[in-house]
Amino acid sequence: MFRPHALAVALLAIGASLTTAATALAKSHDIELKLRIAAPPPGPRVVALTFDACSGTIDRRILDMLVKNQVPATLFVTHRWLKRNQETTAVLLAHPELFEIENHGDQHVPAITDTARLYGLKTAGSLEEVRKEVDGGASAVLKATGKPPRWFRGATAVYSQDALEAIRSAGYSIAGFSLNADMGASLPAATVAKRIAAARSGDVIIAHINQPGHPAGKGVVEGIQRLIDRGTVFVKLDDMQTEASR
Ligand SMILES: [Zn+2]
């Protein structure tokens, strides 16, 4: 029997390439990674949903919708978020077929050594602090899930070159993205829905699942519903083979 999901999973590989969005970055040489599913198979659109849980709580609009529709997703959680959201973590762990839990750091400190602040956050400032951020997040994920994380996405998803190399040397794949759905949960619902619904096959989508008070979450739900209605195949990052991006 033809199973599009299994087929997609078998054929997927991620192609990561470097892009720099000079206006958004702290310094032009700081790096924002683009991540896509390489050579998505023909047929139904294939996308990977990724959600960041930086701090705060859980947006049940999104979580409940994913569970109800059996939509898999990859969640990037911080140590800080895990400490405060044990009940939600139990819900995630009750659905291992749906949710992959990965490392978003210890205290949500950007993995940047060469500039002091980015998007209002104080950066790590040194490789030692970058390592603390990565290790602290990894230990927390391992403790909460029993599984060591394989992917890392730093706060702001921007990296200085030396931090990127250090994180990769520690064995992590860096989780970039190709479609920013909510710009830090800051966009209006209708805009978010439209952006997600316009996903192309192979897109890795980023949105936030920790801001229940923001309109953006409503747009996430609407956008995913539109993808479901059009027969989209959803995959987790671990469902895909990876290839070195540089
Ligand atoms: Zn974050």
Side-chain angles (χ1 to χ4, degrees):
M1 188 184 140
F2 177 69
R3 294 174 60 220
H5 179 76
L7 176 68
V9 167
L11 294 176
L12 295 181
I14 290 177
S17 61
L18 293 173
T19 57
T20 52
T23 51
L25 302 187
K27 288 190 177 178
S28 61
H29 56 267
D30 283 339
I31 296 159
E32 200 173 66
L33 287 173
K34 188 171 181 187
L35 189 68
R36 284 184 57 81
I37 301 162
R45 179 166 38 174
V46 183
V47 305
L49 292 171
T50 70
F51 292 100
D52 288 2
C54 314
S55 55
T57 58
I58 186 71
D59 192 333
R60 292 302 296 236
R61 295 171 296 184
I62 301 172
L63 180 60
D64 294 351
M65 190 273 185
L66 296 174
V67 171
K68 187 175 162 221
N69 293 283
Q70 296 285 291
V71 173
T74 305
L75 273 71
F76 286 85
V77 302
T78 63
H79 182 194
R80 192 163 76 169
W81 185 89
L82 282 169
K83 264 201 285 198
R84 295 175 190 169
N85 291 276
Q86 291 175 6
E87 277 179 35
T88 301
T89 304
V91 174
L92 298 175
L93 294 173
H95 298 279
E97 76 289 2
L98 293 183
F99 301 121
E100 176 183 338
I101 300 175
E102 298 288 351
N103 185 359
H104 194 36
D106 189 60
Q107 298 296 318
H108 207 245
V109 175
I112 294 172
T113 61
D114 55 6
T115 192
R117 300 186 76 84
L118 182 61
Y119 303 134
L121 295 177
K122 189 175 178 297
T123 63
S126 70
L127 279 183
E128 193 190 339
E129 290 302 315
V130 168
R131 290 195 185 98
K132 273 192 211 167
E133 175 70 7
V134 175
D135 292 347
S139 308
V141 169
L142 176 60
K143 193 175 160 206
T145 68
K147 210 177 149 193
R150 197 167 78 78
W151 290 88
F152 181 79
R153 176 183 286 155
T156 74
V158 176
Y159 310 86
S160 56
Q161 179 64 44
D162 56 349
L164 201 62
E165 284 165 14
I167 297 163
R168 285 193 172 134
S169 300
Y172 293 98
S173 298
I174 307 284
F177 53 88
S178 61
L179 196 170
N180 193 333
D182 67 352
M183 304 295 273
S186 70
L187 297 178
T191 308
V192 175
K194 203 169 149 188
R195 289 165 84 105
I196 292 177
R200 291 174 301 151
S201 200
D203 269 333
V204 174
I205 300 175
I206 183 176
H208 287 74
I209 199 164
N210 64 319
Q211 296 283 8
H214 290 211
K218 182 169 176 274
V220 169
V221 170
E222 285 172 13
I224 294 171
Q225 186 61 56
R226 287 193 223 167
L227 289 178
I228 292 170
D229 293 345
R230 280 182 258 152
T232 304
V233 174
F234 297 93
V235 295
K236 295 179 277 191
L237 293 186
D238 257 355
D239 290 337
M240 302 184 260
Q241 286 184 313
T242 59
E243 61 186 26
S245 63
R246 62 186 304 197

